[in-house]
Amino acid sequence: MLKQIHSVKNPQVKQWKKLLTKKERDLTGTYIIEGFHLVEEALKQEELVLELIVSESVDLPPRWDYGSIPFVSITEEVAKAISETEAPQGVFAICRQESMSAESAKTFLLIDAVQDPGNLGTMIRTADAAGIDAVIVGNGSVDIYNSKVLRSAQGSHFHLPIIRGELTEWVNQLNQRGIPVYGTALENGVVYTEAAPAEAFALVVGNEGSGVSSEILTKTKSNLFIPILGKSESLNVAVATGILLYFLKQS
Amino acid sequence: MLKQIHSVKNPQVKQWKKLLTKKERDLTGTYIIEGFHLVEEALKQEELVLELIVSESVDLPPRWDYGSIPFVSITEEVAKAISETEAPQGVFAICRQESMSAESAKTFLLIDAVQDPGNLGTMIRTADAAGIDAVIVGNGSVDIYNSKVLRSAQGSHFHLPIIRGELTEWVNQLNQRGIPVYGTALENGVVYTEAAPAEAFALVVGNEGSGVSSEILTKTKSNLFIPILGKSESLNVAVATGILLYFLKQS
Protein backbone atom coordinates (compact mmCIF):
# COMPACT_ATOMS: atom_id res chain seq x y z
CA MET A 1 0.00 0.00 0.00
CA LEU A 2 1.20 3.50 -0.81
CA LYS A 3 2.38 5.36 2.26
CA GLN A 4 1.02 8.91 2.39
CA ILE A 5 2.07 11.79 4.62
CA HIS A 6 -0.13 14.86 4.69
CA SER A 7 0.97 16.73 7.77
CA VAL A 8 4.21 18.57 8.44
CA LYS A 9 3.73 17.49 12.06
CA ASN A 10 4.11 13.82 11.18
CA PRO A 11 7.12 12.45 13.11
CA GLN A 12 8.53 11.08 9.86
CA VAL A 13 8.77 14.64 8.51
CA LYS A 14 10.66 15.69 11.62
CA GLN A 15 13.04 12.77 11.10
CA TRP A 16 13.72 13.75 7.46
CA LYS A 17 14.42 17.34 8.50
CA LYS A 18 16.93 16.07 11.06
CA LEU A 19 18.94 14.63 8.17
CA LEU A 20 19.95 18.19 7.34
CA THR A 21 22.42 17.88 10.25
CA LYS A 22 25.66 15.90 10.01
CA LYS A 23 25.07 14.42 13.46
CA GLU A 24 21.80 12.76 12.45
CA ARG A 25 23.19 11.68 9.10
CA ASP A 26 26.09 9.89 10.76
CA LEU A 27 23.90 8.42 13.49
CA THR A 28 21.59 6.83 10.93
CA GLY A 29 24.20 6.20 8.25
CA THR A 30 21.92 7.92 5.73
CA TYR A 31 21.46 11.24 3.97
CA ILE A 32 18.76 13.00 1.97
CA ILE A 33 18.97 14.25 -1.60
CA GLU A 34 16.49 16.30 -3.59
CA GLY A 35 15.70 17.22 -7.17
CA PHE A 36 15.06 15.20 -10.33
CA HIS A 37 18.64 15.05 -11.54
CA LEU A 38 20.21 13.90 -8.26
CA VAL A 39 17.51 11.35 -7.47
CA GLU A 40 17.68 9.93 -11.00
CA GLU A 41 21.46 9.54 -10.70
CA ALA A 42 21.06 7.86 -7.30
CA LEU A 43 18.46 5.39 -8.61
CA LYS A 44 21.00 4.16 -11.16
CA GLN A 45 23.11 2.78 -8.30
CA GLU A 46 22.24 -0.57 -6.77
CA GLU A 47 20.98 -0.59 -3.21
CA LEU A 48 21.77 3.07 -2.63
CA VAL A 49 18.27 4.54 -2.31
CA LEU A 50 16.38 3.41 0.79
CA GLU A 51 13.23 5.43 0.27
CA LEU A 52 11.74 7.63 -2.42
CA ILE A 53 9.69 10.65 -1.32
CA VAL A 54 7.55 12.33 -3.95
CA SER A 55 5.10 15.21 -3.84
CA GLU A 56 1.60 14.20 -4.99
CA SER A 57 1.71 16.94 -7.64
CA VAL A 58 4.76 15.40 -9.32
CA ASP A 59 4.74 12.93 -12.23
CA LEU A 60 7.88 10.84 -12.22
CA PRO A 61 9.55 10.25 -15.60
CA PRO A 62 8.42 6.83 -16.91
CA ARG A 63 12.08 5.86 -17.48
CA TRP A 64 12.74 5.84 -13.72
CA ASP A 65 13.17 2.31 -12.44
CA TYR A 66 12.66 2.24 -8.70
CA GLY A 67 11.63 -1.41 -8.46
CA SER A 68 10.74 -2.30 -4.89
CA ILE A 69 12.15 0.82 -3.24
CA PRO A 70 9.65 2.06 -0.61
CA PHE A 71 7.72 5.04 -1.94
CA VAL A 72 6.17 7.79 0.18
CA SER A 73 3.70 10.29 -1.23
CA ILE A 74 3.75 13.74 0.40
CA THR A 75 1.88 17.01 0.06
CA GLU A 76 3.49 20.13 -1.38
CA GLU A 77 3.46 21.58 2.10
CA VAL A 78 5.55 18.67 3.39
CA ALA A 79 7.87 19.02 0.38
CA LYS A 80 8.44 22.67 1.29
CA ALA A 81 9.12 21.71 4.89
CA ILE A 82 11.86 19.21 4.10
CA SER A 83 13.42 21.08 1.17
CA GLU A 84 16.54 23.21 1.40
CA THR A 85 15.85 25.01 -1.88
CA GLU A 86 13.63 27.98 -2.61
CA ALA A 87 11.65 26.25 -5.34
CA PRO A 88 11.45 22.56 -4.32
CA GLN A 89 11.00 20.10 -7.19
CA GLY A 90 9.06 17.78 -4.87
CA VAL A 91 11.34 14.75 -5.36
CA PHE A 92 13.56 13.42 -2.57
CA ALA A 93 15.38 10.23 -1.68
CA ILE A 94 16.93 8.82 1.46
CA CYS A 95 20.26 7.21 0.60
CA ARG A 96 22.69 4.98 2.45
CA GLN A 97 26.05 6.51 3.30
CA GLU A 98 28.38 4.23 1.47
CA SER A 99 31.45 4.77 -0.58
CA MET A 100 32.74 2.77 -3.46
CA SER A 101 36.10 1.15 -2.86
CA ALA A 102 39.23 3.10 -3.74
CA GLU A 103 41.34 -0.06 -3.72
CA SER A 104 42.18 -0.05 -7.41
CA ALA A 105 42.39 3.75 -7.66
CA LYS A 106 45.50 5.25 -9.25
CA THR A 107 44.61 8.92 -9.28
CA PHE A 108 43.46 10.79 -6.20
CA LEU A 109 42.25 14.22 -5.17
CA LEU A 110 42.85 14.92 -1.47
CA ILE A 111 40.92 17.84 -0.01
CA ASP A 112 42.21 19.51 3.15
CA ALA A 113 39.77 21.61 5.18
CA VAL A 114 37.68 23.15 2.42
CA GLN A 115 34.84 24.91 4.22
CA ASP A 116 32.51 26.21 1.55
CA PRO A 117 29.96 23.59 0.47
CA GLY A 118 29.67 25.03 -3.04
CA ASN A 119 33.45 24.79 -3.44
CA LEU A 120 33.63 21.21 -2.11
CA GLY A 121 30.76 20.05 -4.34
CA THR A 122 32.28 21.72 -7.40
CA MET A 123 35.65 20.10 -6.64
CA ILE A 124 34.04 16.65 -6.46
CA ARG A 125 32.26 17.32 -9.76
CA THR A 126 35.55 18.52 -11.29
CA ALA A 127 37.45 15.43 -10.11
CA ASP A 128 34.76 13.28 -11.67
CA ALA A 129 34.95 15.20 -14.97
CA ALA A 130 38.75 14.89 -15.00
CA GLY A 131 38.47 11.12 -14.59
CA ILE A 132 40.07 11.01 -11.13
CA ASP A 133 39.59 7.60 -9.45
CA ALA A 134 38.94 8.68 -5.85
CA VAL A 135 38.40 11.78 -3.74
CA ILE A 136 39.58 11.80 -0.11
CA VAL A 137 38.05 14.54 2.02
CA GLY A 138 39.96 15.45 5.19
CA ASN A 139 38.35 15.85 8.57
CA GLY A 140 38.43 19.65 8.68
CA SER A 141 36.22 19.99 5.60
CA VAL A 142 32.48 20.57 5.34
CA ASP A 143 30.54 17.28 5.37
CA ILE A 144 30.43 15.44 2.04
CA TYR A 145 26.69 14.74 2.58
CA ASN A 146 25.82 18.40 3.25
CA SER A 147 22.89 19.23 0.97
CA LYS A 148 24.70 22.06 -0.82
CA VAL A 149 27.74 19.87 -1.40
CA LEU A 150 25.47 17.23 -2.92
CA ARG A 151 23.72 19.79 -5.14
CA SER A 152 26.97 21.37 -6.38
CA ALA A 153 28.48 17.95 -7.11
CA GLN A 154 25.49 17.21 -9.38
CA GLY A 155 25.54 13.45 -8.84
CA SER A 156 29.28 12.84 -8.85
CA HIS A 157 28.96 11.29 -5.38
CA PHE A 158 27.48 8.31 -7.21
CA HIS A 159 30.23 8.09 -9.83
CA LEU A 160 33.45 7.71 -7.88
CA PRO A 161 34.57 6.93 -4.30
CA ILE A 162 34.20 10.00 -2.05
CA ILE A 163 35.85 9.02 1.21
CA ARG A 164 36.20 10.83 4.51
CA GLY A 165 39.69 10.28 5.82
CA GLU A 166 42.73 11.38 7.77
CA LEU A 167 44.86 13.03 5.10
CA THR A 168 48.27 12.53 6.72
CA GLU A 169 47.59 8.79 6.90
CA TRP A 170 46.51 8.76 3.27
CA VAL A 171 49.62 10.65 2.17
CA ASN A 172 51.84 8.20 4.11
CA GLN A 173 50.08 5.28 2.48
CA LEU A 174 50.31 6.77 -1.02
CA ASN A 175 54.01 7.46 -0.48
CA GLN A 176 54.51 3.82 0.52
CA ARG A 177 52.73 2.71 -2.65
CA GLY A 178 55.09 4.87 -4.70
CA ILE A 179 52.34 7.14 -6.00
CA PRO A 180 53.65 10.71 -6.40
CA VAL A 181 51.78 13.10 -4.11
CA TYR A 182 51.67 16.75 -5.16
CA GLY A 183 50.74 19.44 -2.66
CA THR A 184 49.66 22.93 -3.61
CA ALA A 185 51.31 25.98 -2.07
CA LEU A 186 51.59 29.61 -3.02
CA GLU A 187 55.11 29.83 -1.64
CA ASN A 188 58.19 27.65 -2.18
CA GLY A 189 56.35 25.67 -4.81
CA VAL A 190 57.11 24.56 -8.34
CA VAL A 191 55.14 25.96 -11.30
CA TYR A 192 52.53 23.28 -12.02
CA THR A 193 53.55 22.97 -15.67
CA GLU A 194 56.86 21.51 -14.48
CA ALA A 195 55.16 18.52 -12.84
CA ALA A 196 55.40 15.34 -14.87
CA PRO A 197 51.97 14.05 -15.85
CA ALA A 198 51.67 10.40 -14.86
CA GLU A 199 49.34 7.41 -14.86
CA ALA A 200 49.19 7.52 -11.09
CA PHE A 201 49.29 10.61 -8.88
CA ALA A 202 47.61 12.32 -5.97
CA LEU A 203 46.94 16.04 -5.71
CA VAL A 204 46.31 17.72 -2.35
CA VAL A 205 44.37 20.99 -2.38
CA GLY A 206 43.47 22.98 0.69
CA ASN A 207 41.47 25.50 2.62
CA GLU A 208 40.24 28.67 0.86
CA GLY A 209 42.29 30.94 3.12
CA SER A 210 45.18 28.98 4.59
CA GLY A 211 45.80 26.35 1.91
CA VAL A 212 47.14 22.87 2.60
CA SER A 213 48.39 22.26 6.15
CA SER A 214 52.15 22.60 6.54
CA GLU A 215 52.40 19.09 8.01
CA ILE A 216 51.10 17.60 4.78
CA LEU A 217 53.24 19.89 2.61
CA THR A 218 56.41 18.37 4.14
CA LYS A 219 55.33 14.85 3.13
CA THR A 220 54.73 15.49 -0.57
CA LYS A 221 56.94 14.79 -3.58
CA SER A 222 56.68 18.46 -4.50
CA ASN A 223 54.29 21.35 -4.07
CA LEU A 224 52.77 23.04 -7.09
CA PHE A 225 51.51 26.53 -7.68
CA ILE A 226 49.58 28.22 -10.46
CA PRO A 227 51.20 31.53 -11.38
CA ILE A 228 49.03 34.61 -11.04
CA LEU A 229 49.55 36.44 -14.34
CA GLY A 230 47.35 39.43 -13.50
CA LYS A 231 46.52 41.37 -10.35
CA SER A 232 44.19 39.10 -8.41
CA GLU A 233 45.60 37.62 -5.22
CA SER A 234 44.57 34.06 -5.86
CA LEU A 235 42.28 31.68 -7.72
CA ASN A 236 39.12 30.11 -6.36
CA VAL A 237 40.08 26.67 -4.98
CA ALA A 238 37.70 24.77 -7.28
CA VAL A 239 39.01 26.61 -10.35
CA ALA A 240 42.61 25.89 -9.26
CA THR A 241 41.71 22.22 -8.77
CA GLY A 242 40.33 22.05 -12.32
CA ILE A 243 43.43 23.62 -13.86
CA LEU A 244 45.77 21.26 -11.98
CA LEU A 245 43.79 18.04 -12.48
CA TYR A 246 43.36 18.62 -16.20
CA PHE A 247 47.03 19.44 -16.55
CA LEU A 248 48.16 16.32 -14.66
CA LYS A 249 45.75 14.04 -16.51
CA GLN A 250 46.04 15.40 -20.03
CA SER A 251 49.42 16.59 -20.96
CA MET B 1 32.34 68.07 9.75
CA LEU B 2 31.78 64.35 10.07
CA LYS B 3 28.42 63.27 8.70
CA GLN B 4 26.64 60.87 11.03
CA ILE B 5 23.59 58.71 10.39
CA HIS B 6 21.94 57.03 13.34
CA SER B 7 18.55 55.99 12.05
CA VAL B 8 17.66 53.30 9.55
CA LYS B 9 14.78 55.59 8.56
CA ASN B 10 17.14 58.26 7.28
CA PRO B 11 16.41 58.81 3.56
CA GLN B 12 20.10 58.33 2.82
CA VAL B 13 19.88 54.75 4.14
CA LYS B 14 16.91 54.12 1.88
CA GLN B 15 18.92 55.42 -1.06
CA TRP B 16 21.88 53.13 -0.28
CA LYS B 17 19.57 50.14 -0.06
CA LYS B 18 18.13 50.99 -3.46
CA LEU B 19 21.61 50.44 -4.91
CA LEU B 20 21.04 46.72 -4.42
CA THR B 21 18.90 46.94 -7.59
CA LYS B 22 20.39 47.19 -11.07
CA LYS B 23 17.84 49.83 -12.03
CA GLU B 24 18.96 52.24 -9.33
CA ARG B 25 22.63 51.50 -9.95
CA ASP B 26 22.28 52.36 -13.63
CA LEU B 27 20.11 55.41 -12.94
CA THR B 28 22.74 56.89 -10.62
CA GLY B 29 25.79 55.46 -12.39
CA THR B 30 27.01 54.12 -9.06
CA TYR B 31 27.16 50.91 -7.02
CA ILE B 32 27.84 49.89 -3.46
CA ILE B 33 30.56 47.57 -2.20
CA GLU B 34 31.16 46.21 1.29
CA GLY B 35 33.88 44.57 3.34
CA PHE B 36 37.47 45.54 4.19
CA HIS B 37 39.12 43.79 1.26
CA LEU B 38 36.87 45.18 -1.48
CA VAL B 39 36.84 48.72 -0.10
CA GLU B 40 40.63 48.71 0.30
CA GLU B 41 41.05 47.56 -3.31
CA ALA B 42 38.64 50.28 -4.48
CA LEU B 43 40.47 53.02 -2.55
CA LYS B 44 43.64 52.20 -4.49
CA GLN B 45 41.94 53.41 -7.68
CA GLU B 46 41.83 57.11 -8.44
CA GLU B 47 38.45 58.84 -8.34
CA LEU B 48 36.52 55.59 -8.04
CA VAL B 49 35.12 55.89 -4.52
CA LEU B 50 32.54 58.66 -4.09
CA GLU B 51 31.71 58.06 -0.45
CA LEU B 52 33.01 55.94 2.40
CA ILE B 53 30.48 54.57 4.90
CA VAL B 54 31.85 53.16 8.14
CA SER B 55 30.20 51.79 11.26
CA GLU B 56 31.15 53.72 14.42
CA SER B 57 32.42 50.47 15.97
CA VAL B 58 35.01 49.96 13.23
CA ASP B 59 38.63 51.11 13.30
CA LEU B 60 39.94 51.60 9.80
CA PRO B 61 43.46 50.31 9.09
CA PRO B 62 45.90 53.26 9.36
CA ARG B 63 47.33 52.40 5.91
CA TRP B 64 44.06 53.35 4.22
CA ASP B 65 44.42 56.59 2.32
CA TYR B 66 41.02 58.10 1.66
CA GLY B 67 42.17 61.68 1.32
CA SER B 68 39.21 63.97 0.78
CA ILE B 69 36.62 61.30 0.06
CA PRO B 70 33.39 62.14 1.95
CA PHE B 71 33.08 59.98 5.04
CA VAL B 72 29.82 58.96 6.70
CA SER B 73 29.69 57.39 10.14
CA ILE B 74 26.81 54.97 10.74
CA THR B 75 25.49 52.85 13.60
CA GLU B 76 25.73 49.06 13.60
CA GLU B 77 21.99 48.97 13.05
CA VAL B 78 22.35 51.01 9.86
CA ALA B 79 25.23 48.75 8.78
CA LYS B 80 22.99 45.72 9.16
CA ALA B 81 20.24 47.43 7.20
CA ILE B 82 22.38 48.16 4.15
CA SER B 83 24.47 44.96 4.23
CA GLU B 84 23.81 41.94 2.04
CA THR B 85 25.92 39.63 4.21
CA GLU B 86 25.02 37.78 7.38
CA ALA B 87 27.91 39.19 9.39
CA PRO B 88 28.49 42.73 8.06
CA GLN B 89 32.02 44.08 8.51
CA GLY B 90 30.64 47.61 8.82
CA VAL B 91 32.64 49.08 5.94
CA PHE B 92 31.01 50.19 2.69
CA ALA B 93 31.79 52.44 -0.26
CA ILE B 94 29.77 54.03 -3.01
CA CYS B 95 31.68 53.75 -6.29
CA ARG B 96 31.30 55.24 -9.72
CA GLN B 97 30.37 52.82 -12.50
CA GLU B 98 33.31 53.18 -14.80
CA SER B 99 35.33 50.78 -16.79
CA MET B 100 38.95 51.00 -17.76
CA SER B 101 39.55 51.20 -21.49
CA ALA B 102 39.97 47.95 -23.43
CA GLU B 103 41.56 49.77 -26.36
CA SER B 104 45.00 48.22 -26.03
CA ALA B 105 43.69 44.80 -24.91
CA LYS B 106 44.95 41.73 -26.75
CA THR B 107 43.33 38.95 -24.74
CA PHE B 108 39.61 38.85 -24.00
CA LEU B 109 37.10 36.78 -22.10
CA LEU B 110 33.56 37.14 -23.50
CA ILE B 111 30.76 35.94 -21.22
CA ASP B 112 27.42 35.01 -22.78
CA ALA B 113 24.38 34.91 -20.49
CA VAL B 114 25.94 33.56 -17.30
CA GLN B 115 23.18 33.84 -14.69
CA ASP B 116 24.70 32.82 -11.40
CA PRO B 117 26.40 35.76 -9.64
CA GLY B 118 28.92 33.48 -7.90
CA ASN B 119 29.91 32.01 -11.26
CA LEU B 120 30.22 35.42 -12.96
CA GLY B 121 32.29 36.85 -10.10
CA THR B 122 34.57 33.80 -10.03
CA MET B 123 35.04 34.04 -13.82
CA ILE B 124 36.07 37.70 -13.54
CA ARG B 125 38.52 36.78 -10.75
CA THR B 126 39.86 33.90 -12.88
CA ALA B 127 40.34 36.11 -15.94
CA ASP B 128 42.26 38.56 -13.76
CA ALA B 129 44.46 35.77 -12.35
CA ALA B 130 45.15 34.45 -15.85
CA GLY B 131 46.31 37.89 -16.97
CA ILE B 132 43.48 38.46 -19.44
CA ASP B 133 43.31 42.09 -20.61
CA ALA B 134 39.54 42.63 -20.72
CA VAL B 135 36.27 40.92 -19.85
CA ILE B 136 33.17 41.59 -21.96
CA VAL B 137 29.90 40.60 -20.32
CA GLY B 138 26.95 40.05 -22.66
CA ASN B 139 23.51 41.48 -22.08
CA GLY B 140 21.84 38.26 -20.94
CA SER B 141 24.18 37.90 -17.95
CA VAL B 142 23.63 38.86 -14.33
CA ASP B 143 24.69 42.48 -13.65
CA ILE B 144 28.43 43.00 -13.18
CA TYR B 145 27.69 45.32 -10.21
CA ASN B 146 25.45 42.79 -8.42
CA SER B 147 26.75 42.55 -4.86
CA LYS B 148 27.43 38.81 -5.04
CA VAL B 149 29.30 39.23 -8.32
CA LEU B 150 31.42 41.92 -6.68
CA ARG B 151 32.12 39.73 -3.63
CA SER B 152 33.04 36.64 -5.67
CA ALA B 153 35.32 38.68 -7.93
CA GLN B 154 37.25 39.81 -4.82
CA GLY B 155 38.34 43.17 -6.24
CA SER B 156 39.12 42.12 -9.81
CA HIS B 157 36.59 44.72 -11.03
CA PHE B 158 39.28 47.27 -10.14
CA HIS B 159 42.11 45.46 -11.93
CA LEU B 160 40.97 45.09 -15.53
CA PRO B 161 38.24 46.44 -17.81
CA ILE B 162 34.89 44.72 -17.15
CA ILE B 163 32.61 45.92 -19.92
CA ARG B 164 28.93 45.32 -20.59
CA GLY B 165 28.48 44.75 -24.31
CA GLU B 166 26.69 43.21 -27.25
CA LEU B 167 28.72 40.05 -27.84
CA THR B 168 27.96 39.58 -31.54
CA GLU B 169 29.25 43.10 -32.21
CA TRP B 170 32.37 42.39 -30.18
CA VAL B 171 33.03 39.15 -32.04
CA ASN B 172 32.62 40.92 -35.39
CA GLN B 173 35.03 43.62 -34.28
CA LEU B 174 37.60 41.12 -32.98
CA ASN B 175 37.37 39.16 -36.24
CA GLN B 176 38.04 42.38 -38.16
CA ARG B 177 41.09 43.03 -36.00
CA GLY B 178 42.38 39.55 -36.83
CA ILE B 179 42.20 38.33 -33.23
CA PRO B 180 41.30 34.62 -33.12
CA VAL B 181 37.97 34.11 -31.33
CA TYR B 182 37.37 30.71 -29.73
CA GLY B 183 33.89 29.63 -28.76
CA THR B 184 33.14 26.79 -26.37
CA ALA B 185 30.74 24.03 -27.33
CA LEU B 186 30.13 20.51 -26.10
CA GLU B 187 29.31 19.30 -29.61
CA ASN B 188 31.13 19.71 -32.92
CA GLY B 189 34.04 21.29 -31.15
CA VAL B 190 37.79 20.79 -31.15
CA VAL B 191 39.60 19.45 -28.06
CA TYR B 192 40.98 22.55 -26.37
CA THR B 193 44.53 21.23 -26.33
CA GLU B 194 44.54 21.49 -30.13
CA ALA B 195 44.05 25.25 -30.05
CA ALA B 196 47.22 27.21 -30.70
CA PRO B 197 48.17 29.41 -27.76
CA ALA B 198 48.73 32.96 -28.97
CA GLU B 199 49.65 36.46 -27.87
CA ALA B 200 46.18 37.66 -28.79
CA PHE B 201 42.94 35.72 -28.51
CA ALA B 202 39.36 35.91 -27.30
CA LEU B 203 37.50 33.10 -25.55
CA VAL B 204 33.68 33.03 -25.42
CA VAL B 205 32.08 31.05 -22.61
CA GLY B 206 28.37 30.73 -22.06
CA ASN B 207 25.31 30.04 -20.01
CA GLU B 208 25.41 27.28 -17.36
CA GLY B 209 22.73 25.26 -19.12
CA SER B 210 22.62 26.19 -22.77
CA GLY B 211 26.21 27.28 -23.41
CA VAL B 212 27.23 29.92 -25.94
CA SER B 213 24.46 31.08 -28.31
CA SER B 214 24.51 29.36 -31.69
CA GLU B 215 24.67 32.71 -33.48
CA ILE B 216 28.02 33.46 -31.85
CA LEU B 217 29.34 29.93 -32.41
CA THR B 218 29.03 30.40 -36.17
CA LYS B 219 31.22 33.51 -36.07
CA THR B 220 34.21 32.01 -34.24
CA LYS B 221 37.53 30.72 -35.57
CA SER B 222 36.80 27.40 -33.86
CA ASN B 223 34.87 26.07 -30.91
CA LEU B 224 36.69 24.28 -28.10
CA PHE B 225 35.56 21.64 -25.66
CA ILE B 226 37.10 20.11 -22.57
CA PRO B 227 36.81 16.32 -22.69
CA ILE B 228 34.90 14.71 -19.84
CA LEU B 229 37.19 11.87 -18.74
CA GLY B 230 34.88 10.51 -16.04
CA LYS B 231 31.13 10.24 -15.59
CA SER B 232 29.99 13.77 -14.81
CA GLU B 233 27.94 15.49 -17.47
CA SER B 234 29.85 18.74 -17.52
CA LEU B 235 32.15 21.10 -15.70
CA ASN B 236 31.14 24.18 -13.77
CA VAL B 237 31.45 27.15 -16.15
CA ALA B 238 33.97 29.01 -13.95
CA VAL B 239 36.16 25.90 -13.64
CA ALA B 240 36.00 25.37 -17.42
CA THR B 241 36.94 29.03 -17.94
CA GLY B 242 40.01 28.57 -15.72
CA ILE B 243 41.20 25.46 -17.55
CA LEU B 244 40.81 27.11 -20.98
CA LEU B 245 42.31 30.49 -20.10
CA TYR B 246 45.36 28.97 -18.43
CA PHE B 247 45.86 26.65 -21.38
CA LEU B 248 45.59 29.44 -23.95
CA LYS B 249 47.85 31.77 -21.97
CA GLN B 250 50.50 29.36 -20.77
CA SER B 251 51.33 26.64 -23.17
Side-chain angles (χ1 to χ4, degrees):
Chain A
M1 226 183 75
L2 184 68
K3 193 167 155 191
Q4 287 181 304
I5 292 183
H6 294 108
S7 164
V8 293
K9 287 178 185 157
N10 188 300
Q12 179 67 76
V13 175
K14 217 171 164 181
Q15 177 57 31
W16 289 331
K17 284 174 79 169
K18 273 194 185 168
L19 289 179
L20 299 177
T21 67
K22 178 175 193 298
K23 190 179 163 192
E24 187 68 15
R25 288 193 294 265
D26 287 354
L27 209 64
T28 57
T30 65
Y31 59 100
I32 186 167
I33 57 173
E34 76 172 283
F36 282 95
H37 177 72
L38 265 187
V39 173
E40 180 163 6
E41 289 291 302
L43 284 172
K44 290 178 188 164
Q45 317 305 316
E46 272 183 36
E47 299 187 6
L48 175 67
V49 176
L50 298 172
E51 192 168 41
L52 204 56
I53 305 161
V54 182
S55 173
E56 55 197 7
S57 61
V58 162
D59 290 318
L60 293 184
R63 68 176 177 275
W64 281 23
D65 176 16
Y66 48 93
S68 59
I69 295 168
F71 187 105
V72 187
S73 171
I74 57 172
T75 58
E76 277 192 53
E77 202 192 351
V78 172
K80 269 182 202 156
I82 62 176
S83 173
E84 282 237 298
T85 62
E86 276 179 34
Q89 297 179 11
V91 180
F92 305 82
I94 308 297
C95 300
R96 283 198 303 128
Q97 287 190 11
E98 60 159 6
S99 167
M100 300 171 210
S101 161
E103 219 165 282
S104 59
K106 287 181 179 167
T107 52
F108 298 82
L109 175 66
L110 277 61
I111 299 176
D112 185 19
V114 165
Q115 311 276 327
D116 180 87
N119 280 343
L120 181 60
T122 304
M123 290 159 82
I124 289 171
R125 177 183 173 193
T126 303
D128 181 12
I132 296 301
D133 298 329
V135 176
I136 317 297
V137 181
N139 296 326
S141 297
V142 57
D143 185 33
I144 58 175
Y145 300 118
N146 170 294
S147 64
K148 200 172 171 207
V149 173
L150 287 157
R151 273 204 305 284
S152 304
Q154 298 202 357
S156 290
H157 283 73
F158 315 131
H159 299 160
L160 74 167
I162 313 292
I163 298 170
R164 293 165 171 160
E166 179 53 67
L167 294 193
T168 43
E169 283 171 25
W170 271 91
V171 172
N172 288 340
Q173 208 189 97
L174 290 163
N175 281 336
Q176 276 164 22
R177 286 176 57 189
I179 292 179
V181 179
Y182 297 106
T184 46
L186 286 176
E187 282 162 26
N188 302 320
V190 176
V191 182
Y192 73 101
T193 46
E194 289 184 15
E199 286 287 297
F201 67 85
L203 176 73
V204 196
V205 292
N207 178 273
E208 290 88 347
S210 55
V212 176
S213 80
S214 52
E215 193 197 345
I216 291 174
L217 290 181
T218 60
K219 291 174 181 282
T220 53
K221 178 184 163 78
S222 65
N223 297 317
L224 311 178
F225 76 93
I226 302 173
I228 299 296
L229 308 170
K231 292 180 198 150
S232 81
E233 284 172 19
S234 62
L235 282 158
N236 167 276
V237 66
V239 174
T241 300
I243 295 169
L244 294 172
L245 289 183
Y246 266 87
F247 178 81
L248 290 169
K249 282 285 290 191
Q250 290 243 310
S251 322
Chain B
M1 224 181 78
L2 184 68
K3 193 168 156 191
Q4 286 182 303
I5 292 183
H6 294 109
S7 164
V8 293
K9 287 177 185 156
N10 187 302
Q12 180 67 74
V13 176
K14 218 169 163 181
Q15 177 58 32
W16 289 331
K17 283 174 79 168
K18 272 193 183 169
L19 288 181
L20 299 177
T21 67
K22 178 175 193 298
K23 189 180 163 190
E24 186 68 16
R25 287 193 293 266
D26 288 355
L27 209 63
T28 58
T30 66
Y31 59 100
I32 185 166
I33 57 174
E34 75 172 284
F36 281 95
H37 177 71
L38 267 186
V39 173
E40 180 163 7
E41 288 293 301
L43 284 172
K44 289 179 189 163
Q45 317 306 314
E46 271 182 38
E47 300 187 5
L48 175 65
V49 176
L50 297 172
E51 192 167 43
L52 204 56
I53 305 161
V54 181
S55 173
E56 55 197 6
S57 60
V58 162
D59 290 319
L60 293 183
R63 67 176 179 274
W64 281 23
D65 176 16
Y66 47 92
S68 59
I69 295 169
F71 187 106
V72 187
S73 171
I74 57 173
T75 58
E76 277 191 54
E77 202 192 353
V78 171
K80 270 184 200 154
I82 62 174
S83 173
E84 281 239 298
T85 63
E86 277 178 34
Q89 296 179 12
V91 180
F92 306 81
I94 308 296
C95 300
R96 282 197 305 128
Q97 288 189 12
E98 60 159 7
S99 167
M100 299 169 210
S101 162
E103 218 164 284
S104 60
K106 287 181 180 168
T107 52
F108 297 82
L109 175 66
L110 276 62
I111 298 176
D112 184 20
V114 165
Q115 310 276 326
D116 181 87
N119 281 343
L120 181 59
T122 304
M123 290 159 83
I124 289 170
R125 177 182 173 193
T126 303
D128 181 11
I132 295 301
D133 298 329
V135 176
I136 317 298
V137 181
N139 296 325
S141 297
V142 58
D143 185 33
I144 58 176
Y145 299 117
N146 170 295
S147 64
K148 197 169 175 212
V149 172
L150 286 157
R151 274 204 304 283
S152 304
Q154 298 201 358
S156 291
H157 282 73
F158 314 132
H159 298 160
L160 74 167
I162 314 292
I163 299 171
R164 291 163 171 163
E166 179 54 67
L167 294 193
T168 43
E169 282 171 25
W170 272 91
V171 172
N172 289 339
Q173 208 189 98
L174 291 162
N175 281 336
Q176 277 164 21
R177 285 176 57 189
I179 292 180
V181 179
Y182 296 106
T184 46
L186 286 175
E187 284 162 23
N188 302 320
V190 175
V191 182
Y192 73 101
T193 46
E194 289 184 17
E199 286 288 296
F201 67 85
L203 176 72
V204 196
V205 292
N207 178 274
E208 291 89 347
S210 54
V212 176
S213 80
S214 51
E215 192 196 346
I216 291 174
L217 291 181
T218 60
K219 290 173 181 283
T220 53
K221 177 184 164 79
S222 67
N223 297 316
L224 310 178
F225 76 93
I226 301 173
I228 299 296
L229 308 171
K231 293 179 195 149
S232 81
E233 284 173 19
S234 62
L235 283 157
N236 167 277
V237 65
V239 173
T241 299
I243 294 168
L244 294 172
L245 289 183
Y246 266 87
F247 178 81
L248 290 168
K249 282 284 290 193
Q250 289 244 312
S251 325

